[in-house]
Amino acid sequence: MNRLLRIGSVSVSLALTAMAAGCGGSVAVETPSATADVVATKAPVAVTAHGHIKLAGEALGEVPLRADQRALIEKLAVDADARQAAVRAARQDLKLALADQVAAGQIDRTALQPKIDAVGTAALSAQTADRAALTQLHSILDTSQRSLFVNALESRVHGHFHNHGGMGGMGWKDRWAELNLTDDQATQIQAIVHDSFSAHHGEWKGALDHGKNMLEAFRGDTFAIDQVAPAMDVRAKTAEMTGRFVDIAQRVLPILTADQRATAAQKLHARAAAAQF
Protein backbone atom coordinates (compact mmCIF):
# COMPACT_ATOMS: atom_id res chain seq x y z
CA MET A 1 0.00 0.00 0.00
CA ASN A 2 2.97 2.34 0.33
CA ARG A 3 3.25 2.23 -3.44
CA LEU A 4 -0.43 3.03 -3.69
CA LEU A 5 0.20 6.24 -1.81
CA ARG A 6 3.24 7.50 -3.67
CA ILE A 7 0.89 9.89 -5.37
CA GLY A 8 1.15 12.85 -7.67
CA SER A 9 3.58 11.38 -10.16
CA VAL A 10 2.90 11.87 -13.87
CA SER A 11 6.18 10.63 -15.29
CA VAL A 12 8.93 8.30 -14.09
CA SER A 13 7.82 8.25 -10.47
CA LEU A 14 8.38 11.94 -9.81
CA ALA A 15 12.07 11.48 -10.27
CA LEU A 16 12.58 13.57 -13.35
CA THR A 17 12.65 16.95 -11.58
CA ALA A 18 9.55 18.53 -13.02
CA MET A 19 10.19 17.06 -16.45
CA ALA A 20 6.68 15.72 -16.67
CA ALA A 21 4.11 18.45 -16.90
CA GLY A 22 2.59 21.87 -16.62
CA CYS A 23 2.58 25.06 -18.63
CA GLY A 24 5.77 25.80 -20.46
CA GLY A 25 8.20 28.64 -20.21
CA SER A 26 11.82 29.65 -20.37
CA VAL A 27 13.95 31.91 -18.25
CA ALA A 28 17.19 33.75 -18.69
CA VAL A 29 20.13 32.45 -16.70
CA GLU A 30 22.83 34.62 -15.24
CA THR A 31 26.09 33.89 -17.04
CA PRO A 32 28.79 32.83 -14.59
CA SER A 33 31.59 35.32 -14.19
CA ALA A 34 34.69 34.75 -16.24
CA THR A 35 36.66 34.98 -13.01
CA ALA A 36 34.62 32.31 -11.28
CA ASP A 37 36.40 29.43 -9.66
CA VAL A 38 37.17 27.00 -12.50
CA VAL A 39 37.87 24.06 -10.22
CA ALA A 40 35.04 21.54 -10.53
CA THR A 41 34.41 19.21 -7.61
CA LYS A 42 31.90 16.59 -6.61
CA ALA A 43 29.87 17.21 -3.47
CA PRO A 44 26.33 16.56 -2.22
CA VAL A 45 23.65 18.80 -3.69
CA ALA A 46 20.24 19.68 -2.21
CA VAL A 47 20.78 17.47 0.82
CA THR A 48 17.79 18.93 2.67
CA ALA A 49 15.39 18.55 -0.25
CA HIS A 50 12.62 15.99 -0.53
CA GLY A 51 11.25 13.53 -3.06
CA HIS A 52 12.17 13.92 -6.71
CA ILE A 53 14.22 17.06 -5.98
CA LYS A 54 16.36 15.11 -3.54
CA LEU A 55 16.74 12.34 -6.12
CA ALA A 56 17.94 14.85 -8.70
CA GLY A 57 20.27 16.38 -6.10
CA GLU A 58 21.83 12.98 -5.45
CA ALA A 59 22.44 12.60 -9.18
CA LEU A 60 23.97 16.08 -9.38
CA GLY A 61 26.24 15.08 -6.51
CA GLU A 62 28.03 12.79 -8.97
CA VAL A 63 28.69 15.67 -11.38
CA PRO A 64 31.84 17.82 -10.96
CA LEU A 65 30.57 21.39 -10.52
CA ARG A 66 32.30 24.75 -10.25
CA ALA A 67 31.54 26.85 -7.20
CA ASP A 68 29.46 29.33 -9.21
CA GLN A 69 27.42 26.50 -10.75
CA ARG A 70 26.87 24.89 -7.38
CA ALA A 71 25.55 28.13 -5.90
CA LEU A 72 23.05 28.58 -8.72
CA ILE A 73 21.89 24.97 -8.55
CA GLU A 74 21.48 25.03 -4.78
CA LYS A 75 19.27 28.11 -5.15
CA LEU A 76 17.17 26.30 -7.78
CA ALA A 77 16.81 23.30 -5.46
CA VAL A 78 15.83 25.39 -2.43
CA ASP A 79 13.19 27.26 -4.41
CA ALA A 80 11.85 24.07 -5.99
CA ASP A 81 11.64 22.30 -2.65
CA ALA A 82 9.73 25.24 -1.21
CA ARG A 83 7.26 25.08 -4.09
CA GLN A 84 6.74 21.37 -3.48
CA ALA A 85 5.92 21.94 0.19
CA ALA A 86 2.25 22.42 -0.67
CA VAL A 87 2.25 19.18 -2.65
CA ARG A 88 3.80 17.31 0.27
CA ALA A 89 1.27 18.81 2.65
CA ALA A 90 -1.63 17.78 0.41
CA ARG A 91 -0.27 14.23 0.17
CA GLN A 92 0.14 14.12 3.94
CA ASP A 93 -3.45 15.27 4.42
CA LEU A 94 -4.70 12.57 2.07
CA LYS A 95 -2.57 9.89 3.67
CA LEU A 96 -3.83 10.76 7.16
CA ALA A 97 -7.45 10.72 5.97
CA LEU A 98 -6.92 7.39 4.25
CA ALA A 99 -5.24 5.97 7.36
CA ASP A 100 -8.31 6.89 9.40
CA GLN A 101 -10.56 5.16 6.88
CA VAL A 102 -8.34 2.07 6.84
CA ALA A 103 -8.60 1.90 10.63
CA ALA A 104 -12.38 2.22 10.37
CA GLY A 105 -12.49 -0.60 7.84
CA GLN A 106 -14.10 1.30 4.95
CA ILE A 107 -12.79 3.55 2.17
CA ASP A 108 -15.08 6.48 1.45
CA ARG A 109 -13.97 7.70 -1.97
CA THR A 110 -16.41 10.64 -1.90
CA ALA A 111 -14.92 11.96 1.33
CA LEU A 112 -11.38 11.54 -0.04
CA GLN A 113 -12.05 13.21 -3.40
CA PRO A 114 -11.46 16.81 -2.22
CA LYS A 115 -8.11 15.74 -0.79
CA ILE A 116 -7.24 13.94 -4.02
CA ASP A 117 -8.12 17.08 -5.96
CA ALA A 118 -5.98 19.15 -3.59
CA VAL A 119 -2.91 17.10 -4.50
CA GLY A 120 -3.47 17.85 -8.19
CA THR A 121 -4.10 21.54 -7.55
CA ALA A 122 -0.90 21.87 -5.54
CA ALA A 123 1.08 20.07 -8.23
CA LEU A 124 -0.31 22.36 -10.91
CA SER A 125 0.61 25.51 -9.03
CA ALA A 126 4.30 24.59 -9.08
CA GLN A 127 4.63 23.48 -12.68
CA THR A 128 5.42 26.72 -14.52
CA ALA A 129 8.26 27.60 -12.16
CA ASP A 130 9.50 24.01 -12.09
CA ARG A 131 9.73 23.86 -15.87
CA ALA A 132 11.56 27.18 -15.93
CA ALA A 133 13.97 25.84 -13.31
CA LEU A 134 14.68 22.81 -15.49
CA THR A 135 15.52 25.13 -18.37
CA GLN A 136 17.84 27.03 -16.03
CA LEU A 137 19.55 23.85 -14.94
CA HIS A 138 20.19 22.91 -18.56
CA SER A 139 21.78 26.30 -19.17
CA ILE A 140 23.97 26.12 -16.06
CA LEU A 141 25.49 22.76 -16.96
CA ASP A 142 27.83 22.15 -19.87
CA THR A 143 27.51 19.24 -22.29
CA SER A 144 29.61 16.75 -20.34
CA GLN A 145 27.95 17.69 -17.05
CA ARG A 146 24.49 17.22 -18.51
CA SER A 147 25.43 13.78 -19.75
CA LEU A 148 26.83 12.77 -16.36
CA PHE A 149 23.71 14.09 -14.64
CA VAL A 150 21.35 12.18 -16.94
CA ASN A 151 23.34 8.96 -16.53
CA ALA A 152 23.28 9.27 -12.75
CA LEU A 153 19.59 10.17 -12.63
CA GLU A 154 18.60 7.34 -14.95
CA SER A 155 20.51 4.91 -12.73
CA ARG A 156 18.70 6.16 -9.63
CA VAL A 157 15.28 6.10 -11.25
CA HIS A 158 15.91 2.59 -12.52
CA GLY A 159 17.03 1.42 -9.08
CA HIS A 160 14.13 3.14 -7.32
CA PHE A 161 11.61 1.68 -9.75
CA HIS A 162 12.86 -1.87 -9.45
CA ASN A 163 13.42 -1.69 -5.70
CA HIS A 164 9.74 -0.88 -5.40
CA GLY A 165 8.69 -3.82 -7.50
CA GLY A 166 8.18 -2.10 -10.84
CA MET A 167 4.71 -1.63 -12.26
CA GLY A 168 2.48 -3.93 -10.25
CA GLY A 169 5.44 -5.82 -8.85
CA MET A 170 5.91 -7.50 -5.48
CA GLY A 171 7.94 -4.75 -3.81
CA TRP A 172 4.93 -3.72 -1.71
CA LYS A 173 5.00 -7.04 0.16
CA ASP A 174 8.39 -6.40 1.76
CA ARG A 175 7.44 -2.85 2.73
CA TRP A 176 4.31 -4.12 4.49
CA ALA A 177 5.80 -7.21 6.11
CA GLU A 178 4.41 -6.07 9.49
CA LEU A 179 0.94 -7.08 8.29
CA ASN A 180 1.98 -10.75 8.31
CA LEU A 181 -0.13 -11.50 5.28
CA THR A 182 -1.06 -15.09 4.61
CA ASP A 183 -0.08 -16.57 1.27
CA ASP A 184 -3.69 -16.36 0.16
CA GLN A 185 -3.95 -12.68 1.11
CA ALA A 186 -0.70 -11.87 -0.66
CA THR A 187 -1.89 -13.66 -3.79
CA GLN A 188 -5.20 -11.79 -3.79
CA ILE A 189 -3.56 -8.41 -3.26
CA GLN A 190 -0.93 -9.06 -5.89
CA ALA A 191 -3.68 -9.92 -8.38
CA ILE A 192 -5.49 -6.65 -7.63
CA VAL A 193 -2.34 -4.57 -8.04
CA HIS A 194 -1.30 -6.44 -11.18
CA ASP A 195 -4.74 -6.11 -12.77
CA SER A 196 -4.86 -2.38 -12.10
CA PHE A 197 -1.46 -1.70 -13.60
CA SER A 198 -2.10 -4.05 -16.51
CA ALA A 199 -5.32 -2.22 -17.34
CA HIS A 200 -3.35 0.99 -17.77
CA HIS A 201 -0.10 -0.51 -19.03
CA GLY A 202 -0.05 1.68 -22.11
CA GLU A 203 -0.30 4.84 -20.03
CA TRP A 204 2.43 3.74 -17.62
CA LYS A 205 4.73 2.76 -20.49
CA GLY A 206 3.96 6.04 -22.22
CA ALA A 207 4.90 7.96 -19.08
CA LEU A 208 8.16 6.06 -18.77
CA ASP A 209 8.99 6.60 -22.44
CA HIS A 210 8.10 10.27 -22.06
CA GLY A 211 10.54 10.62 -19.18
CA LYS A 212 13.30 8.83 -21.05
CA ASN A 213 12.83 11.03 -24.11
CA MET A 214 12.93 14.10 -21.88
CA LEU A 215 16.22 13.03 -20.34
CA GLU A 216 17.78 12.30 -23.71
CA ALA A 217 16.75 15.74 -24.94
CA PHE A 218 18.28 17.28 -21.82
CA ARG A 219 21.68 15.96 -22.88
CA GLY A 220 21.69 18.18 -25.96
CA ASP A 221 23.11 21.67 -26.35
CA THR A 222 19.61 23.06 -26.86
CA PHE A 223 16.59 22.22 -24.76
CA ALA A 224 13.16 23.49 -25.83
CA ILE A 225 10.93 22.11 -23.12
CA ASP A 226 7.68 23.07 -24.87
CA GLN A 227 8.71 20.96 -27.85
CA VAL A 228 10.02 18.02 -25.87
CA ALA A 229 7.21 18.00 -23.30
CA PRO A 230 4.00 19.62 -24.58
CA ALA A 231 1.79 21.07 -21.91
CA MET A 232 -0.65 18.72 -20.19
CA ASP A 233 -3.33 19.14 -17.55
CA VAL A 234 -1.20 18.04 -14.62
CA ARG A 235 -3.99 18.69 -12.12
CA ALA A 236 -6.37 16.29 -13.87
CA LYS A 237 -3.66 13.70 -14.53
CA THR A 238 -2.41 13.77 -10.96
CA ALA A 239 -5.93 13.44 -9.56
CA GLU A 240 -6.65 10.57 -11.96
CA MET A 241 -3.55 8.59 -11.02
CA THR A 242 -4.02 9.28 -7.32
CA GLY A 243 -7.60 8.11 -7.60
CA ARG A 244 -6.47 4.83 -9.12
CA PHE A 245 -4.26 4.12 -6.15
CA VAL A 246 -7.13 4.86 -3.79
CA ASP A 247 -9.33 2.50 -5.80
CA ILE A 248 -6.75 -0.26 -5.32
CA ALA A 249 -6.69 0.43 -1.58
CA GLN A 250 -10.48 0.17 -1.57
CA ARG A 251 -10.31 -3.29 -3.13
CA VAL A 252 -7.49 -4.45 -0.85
CA LEU A 253 -9.05 -3.37 2.45
CA PRO A 254 -11.70 -6.15 2.72
CA ILE A 255 -8.95 -8.75 2.38
CA LEU A 256 -7.27 -7.58 5.60
CA THR A 257 -8.24 -8.61 9.09
CA ALA A 258 -9.15 -6.02 11.74
CA ASP A 259 -5.68 -6.33 13.31
CA GLN A 260 -4.00 -5.94 9.93
CA ARG A 261 -6.07 -2.85 9.17
CA ALA A 262 -5.06 -1.36 12.51
CA THR A 263 -1.39 -2.05 11.78
CA ALA A 264 -1.69 -0.58 8.29
CA ALA A 265 -3.37 2.55 9.64
CA GLN A 266 -0.64 3.01 12.25
CA LYS A 267 2.04 2.69 9.62
CA LEU A 268 0.31 5.19 7.36
CA HIS A 269 0.03 7.66 10.24
CA ALA A 270 3.71 7.20 11.07
CA ARG A 271 4.80 7.73 7.47
CA ALA A 272 2.62 10.80 7.13
CA ALA A 273 4.05 12.26 10.33
CA ALA A 274 7.57 11.62 9.05
CA ALA A 275 6.67 13.12 5.66
CA GLN A 276 7.59 9.85 3.93
CA PHE A 277 5.76 9.51 0.65
Side-chain angles (χ1 to χ4, degrees), residues 181-266:
L181 297 171
T182 66
D183 290 342
D184 183 58
Q185 287 176 315
T187 298
Q188 290 182 67
I189 294 172
Q190 174 62 16
I192 290 170
V193 174
H194 181 271
D195 288 349
S196 178
F197 279 85
S198 295
H200 303 284
H201 181 269
E203 292 183 50
W204 290 113
K205 186 177 186 304
L208 292 172
D209 290 343
H210 174 88
K212 183 175 179 60
N213 292 339
M214 176 78 79
L215 284 174
E216 289 306 311
F218 191 84
R219 294 181 191 270
D221 291 333
T222 60
F223 182 67
I225 192 168
D226 289 329
Q227 295 179 14
V228 177
M232 66 173 67
D233 187 345
V234 66
R235 177 168 52 192
K237 179 59 68 175
T238 299
E240 176 188 349
M241 296 178 72
T242 301
R244 289 179 191 167
F245 293 140
V246 172
D247 290 342
I248 295 175
Q250 191 169 23
R251 295 177 61 192
V252 167
L253 192 61
I255 297 172
L256 305 179
T257 67
D259 287 343
Q260 288 171 329
R261 292 195 299 269
T263 300
Q266 290 172 0

Side-chain angles (χ1 to χ4, degrees), residues 47 58 86 138 171 186 210:
V47 294
E58 292 173 351
H138 181 273
H210 174 88

Side-chain angles (χ1 to χ4, degrees), residues 10-275:
V10 279
S11 179
V12 193
S13 67
L14 286 179
L16 302 182
T17 60
M19 294 179 177
C23 300
S26 61
V27 62
V29 178
E30 179 182 352
T31 302
S33 168
T35 60
D37 184 2
V38 296
V39 177
T41 59
K42 294 182 181 180
V45 176
V47 294
T48 62
H50 304 79
H52 61 288
I53 301 168
K54 181 177 180 63
L55 193 69
E58 292 173 351
L60 285 165
E62 297 188 18
V63 179
L65 299 171
R66 303 188 311 270
D68 58 305
Q69 292 176 311
R70 190 175 303 279
L72 290 171
I73 291 171
E74 287 287 359
K75 179 63 164 58
L76 287 179
V78 168
D79 291 346
D81 200 51
R83 288 192 297 271
Q84 292 298 315
V87 180
R88 293 193 297 272
R91 291 178 182 171
Q92 182 182 48
D93 192 35
L94 173 59
K95 180 173 284 189
L96 289 172
L98 185 56
D100 290 341
Q101 292 189 1
V102 168
Q106 184 173 357
I107 302 295
D108 183 347
R109 174 62 181 268
T110 300
L112 291 177
Q113 192 59 50
K115 299 181 184 299
I116 294 172
D117 293 339
V119 176
T121 298
L124 178 62
S125 68
Q127 293 312 299
T128 299
D130 281 350
R131 287 166 63 91
L134 187 62
T135 301
Q136 279 189 281
L137 178 61
H138 181 273
S139 299
I140 291 168
L141 302 176
D142 63 27
T143 302
S144 63
Q145 290 169 328
R146 289 192 295 268
S147 184
L148 288 172
F149 168 63
V150 169
N151 290 344
L153 184 56
E154 284 183 330
S155 176
R156 277 166 171 73
V157 171
H158 184 272
H160 178 85
F161 185 71
H162 286 279
N163 286 341
H164 287 79
M167 292 186 292
M170 287 295 290
W172 61 269
K173 188 174 181 181
D174 292 336
R175 295 191 301 280
W176 289 85
E178 297 97 320
L179 297 185
N180 295 316
L181 297 171
T182 66
D183 290 342
D184 183 58
Q185 287 176 315
T187 298
Q188 290 182 67
I189 294 172
Q190 174 62 16
I192 290 170
V193 174
H194 181 271
D195 288 349
S196 178
F197 279 85
S198 295
H200 303 284
H201 181 269
E203 292 183 50
W204 290 113
K205 186 177 186 304
L208 292 172
D209 290 343
H210 174 88
K212 183 175 179 60
N213 292 339
M214 176 78 79
L215 284 174
E216 289 306 311
F218 191 84
R219 294 181 191 270
D221 291 333
T222 60
F223 182 67
I225 192 168
D226 289 329
Q227 295 179 14
V228 177
M232 66 173 67
D233 187 345
V234 66
R235 177 168 52 192
K237 179 59 68 175
T238 299
E240 176 188 349
M241 296 178 72
T242 301
R244 289 179 191 167
F245 293 140
V246 172
D247 290 342
I248 295 175
Q250 191 169 23
R251 295 177 61 192
V252 167
L253 192 61
I255 297 172
L256 305 179
T257 67
D259 287 343
Q260 288 171 329
R261 292 195 299 269
T263 300
Q266 290 172 0
K267 186 166 183 176
L268 289 172
H269 272 291
R271 287 183 174 275

